[in-house]
Amino acid sequence: MNDLGPVAWPPAPIKTERLVLREPEARDRAAFIELHASSEVHTYLGGPRPRDELEREMPEVPGRRPGSFVVDLDGAMIGQILLRRATKHLCPAAVGKVDLGYLFLPRAWGFGYAAEACTAALDWLEDVLPGEPVVLATQTANVRSMRLAAKLGFTEVERFRAWDADQWLGLRAPVTPSD
Protein backbone atom coordinates (compact mmCIF):
# COMPACT_ATOMS: atom_id res chain seq x y z
CA MET A 1 0.00 0.00 0.00
CA ASN A 2 1.12 3.48 -0.76
CA ASP A 3 0.12 7.04 -0.02
CA LEU A 4 -2.53 9.03 -1.82
CA GLY A 5 -0.25 11.03 -4.09
CA PRO A 6 -0.68 14.78 -4.48
CA VAL A 7 -2.87 15.30 -1.43
CA ALA A 8 -1.95 17.91 1.18
CA TRP A 9 -1.51 16.13 4.49
CA PRO A 10 -2.66 16.39 7.18
CA PRO A 11 -6.01 17.96 6.40
CA ALA A 12 -7.89 20.08 8.89
CA PRO A 13 -9.87 17.88 11.28
CA ILE A 14 -13.06 16.58 9.70
CA LYS A 15 -16.09 17.03 11.93
CA THR A 16 -19.27 14.99 11.70
CA GLU A 17 -22.36 15.13 13.89
CA ARG A 18 -20.66 13.10 16.65
CA LEU A 19 -17.05 12.48 15.60
CA VAL A 20 -13.82 14.15 14.60
CA LEU A 21 -11.44 12.57 12.07
CA ARG A 22 -7.95 13.88 12.72
CA GLU A 23 -4.28 13.10 12.42
CA PRO A 24 -2.91 10.66 15.05
CA GLU A 25 -1.25 12.17 18.12
CA ALA A 26 0.97 10.81 20.91
CA ARG A 27 -2.06 10.64 23.25
CA ASP A 28 -3.56 7.95 20.94
CA ARG A 29 -0.77 5.41 21.50
CA ALA A 30 -2.57 3.43 24.22
CA ALA A 31 -5.73 3.19 22.09
CA PHE A 32 -3.67 2.03 19.07
CA ILE A 33 -2.12 -0.69 21.22
CA GLU A 34 -5.56 -1.71 22.51
CA LEU A 35 -6.90 -1.75 18.93
CA HIS A 36 -4.13 -3.97 17.57
CA ALA A 37 -4.01 -6.28 20.62
CA SER A 38 -7.78 -6.90 20.62
CA SER A 39 -8.79 -10.43 19.68
CA GLU A 40 -12.31 -9.13 18.94
CA VAL A 41 -11.05 -6.48 16.50
CA HIS A 42 -8.73 -8.95 14.79
CA THR A 43 -11.12 -11.91 14.54
CA TYR A 44 -11.22 -11.48 10.75
CA LEU A 45 -7.76 -9.97 10.35
CA GLY A 46 -5.48 -12.87 11.17
CA GLY A 47 -5.54 -12.47 14.94
CA PRO A 48 -4.23 -9.87 17.38
CA ARG A 49 -0.61 -8.95 17.97
CA PRO A 50 0.88 -9.56 21.42
CA ARG A 51 0.50 -6.50 23.65
CA ASP A 52 4.13 -6.62 24.86
CA GLU A 53 5.34 -6.66 21.24
CA LEU A 54 3.13 -3.68 20.42
CA GLU A 55 4.39 -1.80 23.49
CA ARG A 56 7.98 -2.28 22.30
CA GLU A 57 7.44 -1.56 18.59
CA MET A 58 4.68 1.04 18.44
CA PRO A 59 6.10 4.52 17.72
CA GLU A 60 5.34 7.42 20.04
CA VAL A 61 2.85 8.71 17.46
CA PRO A 62 1.39 5.62 15.77
CA GLY A 63 -0.33 5.67 12.40
CA ARG A 64 1.10 9.01 11.35
CA ARG A 65 1.06 8.85 7.55
CA PRO A 66 -1.06 10.26 4.74
CA GLY A 67 -4.50 8.66 4.66
CA SER A 68 -4.52 7.61 8.34
CA PHE A 69 -7.28 9.21 10.38
CA VAL A 70 -7.96 8.74 14.07
CA VAL A 71 -11.68 8.59 14.79
CA ASP A 72 -12.21 10.69 17.89
CA LEU A 73 -15.33 10.66 20.07
CA ASP A 74 -15.45 13.27 22.83
CA GLY A 75 -11.66 13.68 22.82
CA ALA A 76 -10.75 9.97 22.81
CA MET A 77 -9.71 7.66 19.98
CA ILE A 78 -12.30 4.98 19.22
CA GLY A 79 -10.99 3.82 15.86
CA GLN A 80 -8.92 4.39 12.76
CA ILE A 81 -9.79 4.98 9.11
CA LEU A 82 -7.16 4.21 6.48
CA LEU A 83 -7.17 5.38 2.87
CA ARG A 84 -4.20 3.94 0.97
CA ARG A 85 -3.34 3.37 -2.66
CA ALA A 86 -3.33 -0.36 -3.41
CA THR A 87 -0.01 -0.84 -5.22
CA LYS A 88 -0.18 -4.62 -4.75
CA HIS A 89 -3.26 -6.73 -4.12
CA LEU A 90 -4.38 -10.33 -4.47
CA CYS A 91 -7.11 -9.02 -6.79
CA PRO A 92 -5.82 -7.23 -9.90
CA ALA A 93 -9.04 -5.16 -9.97
CA ALA A 94 -7.88 -3.39 -6.77
CA VAL A 95 -4.41 -2.39 -7.94
CA GLY A 96 -4.00 1.34 -8.39
CA LYS A 97 -7.22 2.18 -6.57
CA VAL A 98 -7.62 3.72 -3.13
CA ASP A 99 -8.30 1.07 -0.49
CA LEU A 100 -10.56 1.88 2.48
CA GLY A 101 -9.76 0.20 5.78
CA TYR A 102 -11.21 0.72 9.24
CA LEU A 103 -10.72 -0.59 12.76
CA PHE A 104 -12.86 0.31 15.77
CA LEU A 105 -12.56 -0.60 19.42
CA PRO A 106 -15.28 -3.06 20.47
CA ARG A 107 -16.80 -0.55 22.91
CA ALA A 108 -17.59 1.64 19.86
CA TRP A 109 -19.39 -1.09 17.91
CA GLY A 110 -23.12 -0.91 17.24
CA PHE A 111 -23.55 2.88 17.37
CA GLY A 112 -23.09 3.72 13.68
CA TYR A 113 -19.69 5.35 14.25
CA ALA A 114 -17.99 3.31 11.51
CA ALA A 115 -20.56 4.34 8.90
CA GLU A 116 -20.38 7.98 10.00
CA ALA A 117 -16.57 8.07 9.99
CA CYS A 118 -16.16 6.16 6.71
CA THR A 119 -18.71 8.40 4.99
CA ALA A 120 -16.82 11.49 6.16
CA ALA A 121 -13.48 10.06 4.98
CA LEU A 122 -14.94 9.10 1.60
CA ASP A 123 -16.48 12.57 1.21
CA TRP A 124 -13.10 14.13 2.02
CA LEU A 125 -11.42 11.85 -0.55
CA GLU A 126 -13.97 12.87 -3.19
CA ASP A 127 -13.14 16.52 -2.50
CA VAL A 128 -9.35 16.08 -2.77
CA LEU A 129 -9.25 13.39 -5.49
CA PRO A 130 -12.49 13.80 -7.47
CA GLY A 131 -13.58 10.75 -9.42
CA GLU A 132 -11.27 8.36 -7.56
CA PRO A 133 -12.63 4.79 -7.37
CA VAL A 134 -12.31 3.14 -3.95
CA VAL A 135 -12.07 -0.56 -3.06
CA LEU A 136 -12.72 -2.37 0.19
CA ALA A 137 -11.79 -5.95 1.06
CA THR A 138 -13.26 -7.93 3.93
CA GLN A 139 -13.86 -11.52 4.94
CA THR A 140 -17.26 -12.76 3.86
CA ALA A 141 -17.75 -14.12 7.40
CA ASN A 142 -17.47 -10.60 8.81
CA VAL A 143 -21.19 -9.81 8.64
CA ARG A 144 -20.83 -6.34 10.20
CA SER A 145 -18.18 -5.31 7.69
CA MET A 146 -20.16 -6.71 4.77
CA ARG A 147 -23.22 -4.73 5.94
CA LEU A 148 -21.13 -1.55 6.29
CA ALA A 149 -19.67 -2.00 2.79
CA ALA A 150 -23.18 -2.19 1.32
CA LYS A 151 -24.33 0.84 3.34
CA LEU A 152 -21.34 2.83 2.01
CA GLY A 153 -22.23 1.97 -1.60
CA PHE A 154 -19.64 -0.72 -2.35
CA THR A 155 -20.68 -3.43 -4.81
CA GLU A 156 -19.03 -6.80 -5.25
CA VAL A 157 -16.25 -7.02 -7.80
CA GLU A 158 -14.92 -10.41 -6.90
CA ARG A 159 -14.49 -13.03 -4.20
CA PHE A 160 -11.18 -14.64 -3.45
CA ARG A 161 -9.49 -16.83 -0.89
CA ALA A 162 -6.72 -15.51 1.33
CA TRP A 163 -5.44 -16.22 4.80
CA ASP A 164 -7.48 -19.45 4.86
CA ALA A 165 -10.75 -17.55 4.54
CA ASP A 166 -13.18 -16.38 1.86
CA GLN A 167 -12.70 -12.69 1.06
CA TRP A 168 -14.89 -10.12 -0.66
CA LEU A 169 -13.69 -7.19 -2.77
CA GLY A 170 -16.09 -4.31 -3.28
CA LEU A 171 -15.83 -1.20 -5.44
CA ARG A 172 -17.36 2.19 -4.80
CA ALA A 173 -17.57 3.82 -8.17
CA PRO A 174 -16.55 7.44 -8.50
CA VAL A 175 -19.24 9.99 -7.80
CA THR A 176 -20.37 11.55 -11.06
CA PRO A 177 -21.94 15.00 -11.07
CA SER A 178 -25.57 15.01 -12.16
CA ASP A 179 -26.60 17.14 -15.10
Side-chain angles (χ1 to χ4, degrees), residues 11 24 28 45 53 77 95 101 112 152 164 169-170 172:
D28 302 317
L45 298 171
E53 180 182 294
M77 177 181 165
V95 175
L152 294 171
D164 296 323
L169 179 72
R172 185 173 187 257

Side-chain angles (χ1 to χ4, degrees), residues 1-11 65-68 83-87 96-99 124-125 128-130 132-133:
M1 299 288 178
N2 202 331
D3 70 352
L4 298 174
V7 173
W9 193 264
R65 64 185 165 278
S68 175
L83 293 167
R84 307 160 290 190
R85 178 97 35 215
T87 55
K97 294 178 180 66
V98 173
D99 179 78
W124 170 82
L125 183 69
V128 297
L129 293 174
E132 186 75 38

Side-chain angles (χ1 to χ4, degrees), residues 22-43:
R22 59 172 173 78
E23 184 178 32
E25 300 172 358
R27 67 183 167 120
D28 302 317
R29 188 174 187 274
F32 268 101
I33 289 171
E34 183 182 351
L35 192 64
H36 291 284
S38 169
S39 57
E40 288 174 283
V41 172
H42 288 272
T43 298

Side-chain angles (χ1 to χ4, degrees), residues 31 47 96 168:
W168 180 90

Side-chain angles (χ1 to χ4, degrees), residues 24-177:
E25 300 172 358
R27 67 183 167 120
D28 302 317
R29 188 174 187 274
F32 268 101
I33 289 171
E34 183 182 351
L35 192 64
H36 291 284
S38 169
S39 57
E40 288 174 283
V41 172
H42 288 272
T43 298
Y44 302 104
L45 298 171
R49 291 192 49 205
R51 185 173 289 278
D52 61 337
E53 180 182 294
L54 289 165
E55 290 281 358
R56 278 192 318 275
E57 296 176 6
M58 183 94 37
E60 182 181 332
V61 182
R64 186 177 248 170
R65 64 185 165 278
S68 175
F69 292 98
V70 160
V71 180
D72 183 306
L73 173 67
D74 298 328
M77 177 181 165
I78 61 166
Q80 180 184 28
I81 302 288
L82 297 165
L83 293 167
R84 307 160 290 190
R85 178 97 35 215
T87 55
K88 295 179 187 176
H89 202 281
L90 293 172
C91 294
V95 175
K97 294 178 180 66
V98 173
D99 179 78
L100 171 67
Y102 41 85
L103 297 170
F104 283 82
L105 293 166
R107 67 178 171 268
W109 294 359
F111 299 98
Y113 298 137
E116 187 174 329
C118 287
T119 297
L122 290 166
D123 288 349
W124 170 82
L125 183 69
E126 181 59 32
D127 285 344
V128 297
L129 293 174
E132 186 75 38
V134 181
V135 294
L136 180 155
T138 189
Q139 276 193 26
T140 57
N142 189 342
V143 174
R144 286 175 178 245
S145 191
M146 294 288 293
R147 204 173 17 224
L148 177 59
K151 186 174 189 171
L152 294 171
F154 286 84
T155 56
E156 184 173 322
V157 172
E158 117 179 48
R159 291 189 183 219
F160 60 102
R161 187 122 175 114
W163 305 286
D164 296 323
D166 293 328
Q167 308 288 326
W168 180 90
L169 179 72
L171 173 69
R172 185 173 187 257
V175 176
T176 54

